[in-house]
Amino acid sequence: MERYRVVPGPEGYLPPAAALHGVELPLPGQGLVEGSRVEGRTAALAIAERLVSASVPTFFPGPLLLWKSTEEALERGRLVREIAREVGAKVIPMPDYRPKYPMIDPAVEINPNHPNLTIWFNKIDVGVFIGVHCHQANLALKIIRGGTSCFTVALCAHEGHEDANASLRDTDVASLTALLDAVRIVKQGGE
Amino acid sequence: MSLEITRMNPHFADVMPQEYTDLVENGPFGRDFGARDLGSFKELFEEHPMCAGCNLSLAFRIIVASLPNPADTIMVGSTGCNSIAFPQLALHNVHSLFGNQNAIASGLKRGLALRFPDKVKDVVVVAGDGATADIGLDMTLHSWFRGEKFATVMFDNEIYANTGGQESGMTECGEIRNMAPTGKKFNKISVANLAIEAGCAYVAVVTTASPLKISKCFEKAVLVAREIGPTYVQIYTPCPTNLKLKSSESVSLAKERSKGTYQFREHVSPEAEEFLAARAEKTEEQVRVTSKDEEMHSA
Amino acid sequence: MPDVELKPVSTEHLLRECQREEVFITGSEAVREAIRRANVDIAVAYPITPQSESMHLVGDLYAEGYIRDYFRGENEFAVMSEIAGAAMAGVRVFTATCGPGTLRAFENFPMWSGTRLPIVISFMTRGINSPLTIQPDTIEMGMLLDTGMIMLHAENAQDLYDMILMSFSVAERTSVHIPVGVFVDGFFVTHTRQKVKIVSEDVKLLPYDPTHSPVPTMDMETPPFRYMRDPFVMKSNYISYAAHASWQQEVMAAAERARPHIEAHLGSFVEQENPDAPIQVVACGTAVSQGREAVRMAREEGLEVGLVKIKVLRPAPREEIRRALAKAERIVIPEFNRTGWLAREIASMIPNNDRIAAGPRVFGGMTMPPEVIVDVIKGDVLVGV
Ligand SMILES: Cc1ncc(C[n+]2csc(CCOP(=O)(O)OP(=O)(O)O)c2C)c(N)n1
Ligand SMILES: [Mg+2]
């Protein structure tokens, strides 16, 4: 069987979890691009390129970034806003994980149980998750791959995400600073 | 400090949806709001999809508003109509299985006690009559026997409402219900008596006819559970949907029952009595001091 | 507090670098020695033979100060929920049960996986009713295969000791964070003395860090404060179905992600002796020991026979089994149960599964003399199938 590639959807009725088809998490120092392990810097550049060339790039900060303002969270928040400014991205928060009742307002928020609604409504073509618990991030990533053509990015503070089209692991202030640099390099026409 | 998780990262305050800004600015975290103040602050339980006239949701709203320290409260529910309410609650809450709520709460409370020895974490169980008195009765009772320090609340609609109106152990004898086609053959279980016998330090039986009484009893139950031992509050919450009543009729029913077969009862152990009295004295003193302050200001 | 201060060290350090001493102990005592070093916060117990002795000894550890909280629950269903509640609060937990206890508790196991609890539990396998039996039988393992938990099977007390200690670090990884069951055949291992090399230095595992959980810990210290564990996604619409389906896939993915971490500790999911032999005996648990003796006897008679020891049942050792049995012409699968769940598993993993000679299968507490396995190796003898 051919190697499963984690490319943007819409993939269909119920796409598989990438981990069940041989996609492995990045090792320390690495990132993932479309299911392949690459050097962390290569992944950051790939993400930067996507962000710069997107029509509606959007950051989805999650609860771990939105609440409990530790110094780290403040600094990460500042960097996310700066990267978003640099690429002209929207910022649509995921304030919590409960399915939205009676109805989500997809213009102002995203939810892991039905993230496709927000992607569709805003015509988002590149979406970046950060500060979302890994379980909920994986739900969102898979549902988006199933029903939309959005390119997904997961900036994970832990081990990364196979279900994203591109993912960094151990994302901290330094890696966000590096991503900001990568965005600036790409904007100036590459290295 | 857990209040921290109720504060926003300023870098994203401009993009947060209004309801979250409201929760932070007008919510009860770190403020002294109670059931009396309902309508004047942003509640932690909102936009629930319960049936019109649901007494359970009324009771739920009251107890959530009466939590003495919501910022450090974790609630545990069970399968049943309460589990349709819980997703709308802006607090950490657990739905695990049907009937295991007091077992989950036992482990949760002990785990939190180990992790936060210098802080009070209130654990509150809220479950239906089926969950508490039938399928989970062993776990309800054993958590009391063991003296687990959390409050247990039963929403007693005397029926399995969520699955379509079957008989529960809390249904009154003779009532015809699904699965009791010729009428229930045994008496309503007196869980309140069992609670007293099992060593609960505080036990109360109330109805939705008196919301403020629910609030007062519930607050006592949480406070006594913190300091002394297990507590139990049983709230009569008639179900208009299954009983085929109009919403107004279900409140009248609660009123009627509260004068007859569902009368207010309260049991307070001597230790709990002492604790509550000492606390009341303290609050009174506080009130005196504050009013004195006010007097001085106005002078 | 224990008499001596235990130094917290990584699992790798504890299992690979710490000095060990060889002791002659029962399987139950091996559980105690593993838990002594595991830095467990809460253990909850309920008696059932042949598990009880293990949890008595874990209770002794509590009395000595190695565990911070311990009690006897009211029944296994409750115990597994109590353990779940404690794990949700963000502490490290341990429990054990078997046979009827496993079945009594059953509804909890998929709940544990679904809610991403890194619980370590040991099953000292035993037969189930009716009629009542307390004897060894691995039938419960076949029933647990689809609960989402990771499943390791110890052959002996040494495996049991090492597997319990390694399980915490596998279960608690952010990308995994699902329960691990360490299975061992009741009585055969729990109640017999064996040589076991145990760590002799005053060390323990590093504590569990709840801030690395892939779902919020239920403490009102972890954002978001508006959080139900687990949310209701049961409205009657496609969105709800898709959310539930994706959730289940994520739990399966979690087990898959455990592979490299299990391998890092165990070396491999399966071990093979005489891989080129045309006849292969495939087994797990104490059936491996019996199989090894049978292989020795058969080889003495001039037969070419190999042995495949399966250490990991979940995540399924698909590739490993396919590779190990690629050249086998005849596959013998001895099992301590009537259902033959291991043979079914293997049959679903390999091409040409008519190579499998079912059995021998023994149950009801019967032992499995190696001679019986040799009989099946030699020809189509029906034993228990
Ligand atoms: C093990 C198990 N058995 C049965 C059910 C079905 N069930 C769901 S809710 C419920 C009744 C709940 O009744 P009660 O606790 O009184 O709550 P209510 O809905 O009346 O508020 C039942 C029987 C289940 N979910 N799990
Ligand atoms: Mg009911």
Side-chain angles (χ1 to χ4, degrees), chain C residues 65-113:
Chain C
Y66 288 92
I67 296 178
R68 299 163 75 198
D69 199 356
Y70 170 95
F71 66 101
R72 175 201 52 80
E74 53 271 54
N75 60 55
E76 291 87 352
F77 176 84
V79 165
M80 301 312 157
S81 294
E82 281 142 8
I83 281 288
M88 285 179 194
V91 299
R92 183 176 288 158
V93 297
F94 178 75
T95 188
T97 188
C98 61
T102 302
L103 269 59
R104 181 66 56 102
F106 210 93
E107 195 187 2
N108 284 275
F109 301 129
M111 179 271 283
W112 286 1
S113 311

Side-chain angles (χ1 to χ4, degrees), chain A residues 13-15 19 25 63 67-68 95-99 101 113-114 133-136 138-139 142-143 158-159 162, chain C residues 116 173-175 212-216 221 223-224 226-227 231-232 235 238-239 246-247 249-250 253 256-257:
Chain A
Y13 195 56
L14 183 60
L25 290 172
W67 304 103
K68 196 168 185 171
D96 65 40
Y97 305 136
R98 61 161 205 183
Y101 182 86
N113 305 285
H114 39 75
H133 278 88
C134 292
H135 177 87
Q136 275 80 12
N138 279 333
L139 287 196
K142 225 184 65 61
I143 293 171
H158 300 287
E159 297 169 62
E162 318 92 344
Chain C
R116 302 296 295 265
R173 286 195 83 89
T174 307
S175 60
H212 287 248
S213 167
V215 291
E221 305 280 334
R226 180 145 142 173
Y227 181 61
F232 267 40
K235 299 233 155 62
Y238 174 76
I239 284 178
S246 300
W247 188 296
Q249 287 175 309
E250 167 58 13
E256 210 54 35
R257 294 186 200 113

Side-chain angles (χ1 to χ4, degrees), chain B residues 215-227:
Chain B
S215 173
K216 272 197 198 123
C217 295
F218 173 71
E219 196 188 355
K220 284 191 226 172
V222 176
L223 294 172
V224 170
R226 233 184 232 178
E227 303 292 333

